[in-house]
Amino acid sequence: MAGFDKVVLSYDEAMAGLDDGMTVIAGGFGLCGIPENLIAEIKRRQTKGLTVVSNNCGVDGFGLGILLEDKQIRKMVASYVGENALFEKQLLNGELEVDLTPQGTLAEKMRAGGAGIPAFYTATGVGTPVAEGKETRTFDGKEFLLEESITGDFAIVKGWKADRYGNVMYRHTAQNFNPLAATAGKITVVEVEEIVEVGELEPSQIHTPGIYVDRVIQGTFEKRIEKVTVRS
Amino acid sequence: MALTREQMAQRVAQELRDGYYVNLGIGIPTLVANFVPQGMEVMLQSENGLLGMGAFPTEETLDADMINAGKQTVTAVKGASIFSSAESFAMIRGGHVDLTVLGAFEVDVHGNIASWMIPNKLVKGMGGAMDLVAGADNIIVTMTHASKNGESKLLADCSLPLTGKGCIKKVLTDLAWIEIDAGQFTLVERAPGVSVEEIVEKTAGKLVVPEHVPEMTFA
């Protein structure tokens, strides 16, 4: 590897440096566009005490849900965690802490974190349990809440195509939180369906520029669907 | 007669206008898409990052990378766009969505809404609901007027933890179309065959009843 070449050849190498107690930001919405092999690698490494930031926490047996099996997650920051029985159990036992965050606030926390903006004001959550303990300020007669941004030790991202320099494109709604997560990791790891040569991706069509990306790996994906719904 | 879920969706659909960008929540709001008037174009926003949500796919066109905010597989219409979650909520928070329709547990005379959390029951999360109610100007809440035990959901003050404060102005229940202003509900329309008395009886918060309360009409 030399210069801007970010490609790594093993999942072990992709997640090298992940330690107990770190914060990991993950892309994905439900099971759509989740970095499923990077999550499996975190399970294989048995890293403990993690804070995981992701819109959801997978389902039992797939996605981030598999990190609950050996109690690797200490704290989950998410907007909706309803699809996961093990999650409920550990939450009620007090083995798992959860910080429920409005979905748009969560997205903005990642975006702002990656952009070097430490906090921002939003109307979302004013007057609700989300506002407890948070500073508010009035602008133009309307009340806003100060929300702090999020950065992670690692960001794990699922892309469609990347070139060797780490320029990434996402496919359809598998984009979701992925480009935001990609900006907010000290080490950002992207797994993709296809790695192409530098110059093959049209520059104006790139979603995540390679400057945000530290490691790229090509994987194969199950792409499980949470709710198969077809026209009757 | 109380409105059916389909009639509620049909009544909400009367509020659609040509060229509207609309976000529909899960449940009755989703059904509104089935009643878009002929010749009218609306575009559905799904907060996971899709503007221009289409029908469900066929077995042949099923794609794991194409889902809606309810995590169901969907298609995109011609002219759709797909973007990140931050972009999606910029549309919502920035007030660019013309109409938002969502369900609730309770609404009160101050325009407060509670829709995500019942204490001592497992809390699954607010998803995008807090962003939607805080960001949108034009919101319609759809819910039953009273619980199965007959307890009113239209209150003087919400009893459950809020989703948003002072943001609701219009509520469609199975019995009535209600508007909220200046700390009171106003009865605007009633479901066909439902008496004003029944609505008054099932509304806990202060309700203003105009002299004439028309019945809803359905084409």
Side-chain angles (χ1 to χ4, degrees):
Chain A
M1 264 199 334
F4 295 108
D5 193 339
K6 313 278 174 76
V7 174
V8 297
L9 297 173
S10 71
Y11 277 92
D12 185 40
E13 204 183 336
M15 291 308 290
L18 181 70
D19 266 328
D20 291 354
M22 281 186 166
T23 295
V24 178
I25 303 179
F29 184 97
L31 299 181
C32 182
I34 59 170
E36 55 182 78
N37 301 297
L38 293 170
I39 294 166
E41 170 61 17
I42 296 174
K43 180 169 171 75
R44 192 194 65 79
R45 299 172 87 92
Q46 284 294 302
T47 317
K48 304 279 190 192
L50 295 171
T51 295
V52 175
V53 183
S54 166
N55 190 52
N56 315 94
C57 194
V59 296
D60 291 312
F62 196 70
L64 289 168
I66 66 172
L67 302 185
L68 298 168
E69 292 165 3
D70 303 308
K71 298 177 186 167
Q72 291 176 263
I73 303 177
R74 182 188 65 79
K75 182 179 175 183
M76 188 73 210
V77 181
S79 86
Y80 191 81
V81 290
E83 318 294 351
N84 200 316
L86 196 53
F87 190 96
E88 285 185 27
K89 186 164 161 260
Q90 292 183 13
L91 186 61
L92 295 170
N93 287 346
E95 293 170 317
L96 179 65
E97 194 187 324
V98 65
D99 181 356
L100 290 173
T101 304
Q103 197 175 127
T105 296
L106 186 63
E108 192 63 15
K109 278 174 178 249
M110 292 184 195
R111 197 201 65 79
I117 296 167
F120 56 91
Y121 283 101
T122 177
T124 302
V126 169
T128 78
V130 166
E132 281 166 23
K134 287 174 189 161
E135 192 182 320
T136 61
R137 191 168 155 184
T138 301
F139 295 94
D140 203 16
K142 194 175 169 188
E143 196 180 347
F144 293 83
L145 202 62
L146 187 66
E147 289 279 8
E148 290 186 20
S149 305
I150 293 178
T151 55
D153 298 295
F154 270 79
I156 56 173
V157 169
K158 158 69 173 54
W160 176 35
K161 291 181 182 182
D163 66 21
R164 303 186 72 87
Y165 285 5
N167 294 307
V168 184
M169 288 172 68
Y170 306 94
R171 186 169 174 275
H172 302 334
T173 62
Q175 180 173 166
N176 56 61
F177 283 84
N178 279 299
L180 315 169
T183 65
K186 285 196 195 91
I187 297 175
T188 290
V189 188
V190 182
E191 60 169 335
V192 294
E193 294 171 42
E194 188 185 354
I195 293 176
V196 300
E197 288 310 316
V198 170
E200 279 189 41
L201 301 180
E202 172 62 38
S204 65
Q205 300 300 306
I206 287 164
H207 294 114
T208 294
I211 192 168
Y212 296 111
V213 176
D214 298 284
R215 301 168 190 168
V216 176
I217 186 165
Q218 186 172 306
T220 54
F221 298 84
E222 179 186 332
K223 288 203 194 179
R224 196 181 290 188
I225 300 175
E226 208 164 328
K227 294 179 187 172
V228 174
T229 315
V230 293
R231 243 174 277 174
S232 49
Chain B
M1 283 283 286
L3 300 181
T4 63
R5 289 161 56 86
E6 282 70 25
Q7 286 174 314
M8 288 176 72
Q10 216 178 332
R11 176 62 191 86
V12 170
Q14 293 173 10
E15 303 299 304
L16 297 171
R17 298 292 176 267
D18 198 27
Y20 261 18
Y21 296 101
V22 181
N23 184 294
L24 301 176
I26 291 166
I28 293 165
T30 304
L31 301 176
V32 174
N34 301 335
F35 297 101
V36 177
Q38 281 284 324
M40 186 183 285
E41 278 195 295
V42 301
M43 213 174 259
L44 301 179
Q45 204 254 18
S46 189
E47 64 265 24
N48 59 314
L50 168 62
L51 185 62
M53 179 167 58
F56 294 128
T58 60
E59 294 282 357
E60 291 70 39
T61 57
L62 193 69
D63 187 333
D65 291 336
M66 270 305 293
I67 66 166
N68 64 18
K71 295 163 190 164
Q72 298 168 309
T73 43
V74 287
T75 60
V77 299
K78 238 183 232 179
S81 55
I82 292 175
F83 33 82
S84 76
S85 299
E87 186 76 53
S88 181
F89 281 94
M91 292 173 193
I92 291 165
R93 292 171 182 231
H96 303 280
V97 176
D98 297 302
L99 174 65
T100 294
V101 186
L102 77 177
F105 301 142
E106 297 173 346
V107 170
D108 71 24
V109 295
H110 313 289
N112 297 329
I113 173 172
S115 67
W116 72 286
M117 181 181 181
I118 297 176
N120 304 320
K121 282 201 182 168
L122 192 87
V123 180
K124 293 181 171 183
M126 68 293 279
M130 285 189 183
D131 305 281
L132 282 160
V133 295
D137 207 31
N138 190 14
I139 304 169
I140 300 171
V141 169
T142 59
M143 62 180 191
T144 55
H145 208 96
S147 73
K148 281 179 188 138
N149 307 325
E151 287 164 48
S152 179
K153 297 182 179 181
L154 292 149
L155 307 174
D157 289 289
C158 285
S159 66
L160 298 168
L162 298 185
T163 307
K165 190 175 132 185
C167 44
I168 306 302
K169 296 181 193 124
K170 299 171 194 168
V171 183
L172 176 75
T173 73
D174 53 342
L175 304 182
W177 180 271
I178 303 267
E179 295 194 357
I180 305 173
D181 188 32
Q184 55 194 24
F185 297 124
T186 299
L187 179 55
V188 179
E189 291 174 20
R190 59 200 166 89
V194 171
S195 69
V196 169
E197 290 70 31
E198 181 182 353
I199 294 163
V200 168
E201 188 203 329
K202 289 182 174 168
T203 306
K206 184 181 177 191
L207 178 68
V208 176
V209 182
E211 204 170 318
H212 177 63
V213 182
E215 285 190 351
M216 293 173 199
T217 52
F218 297 94

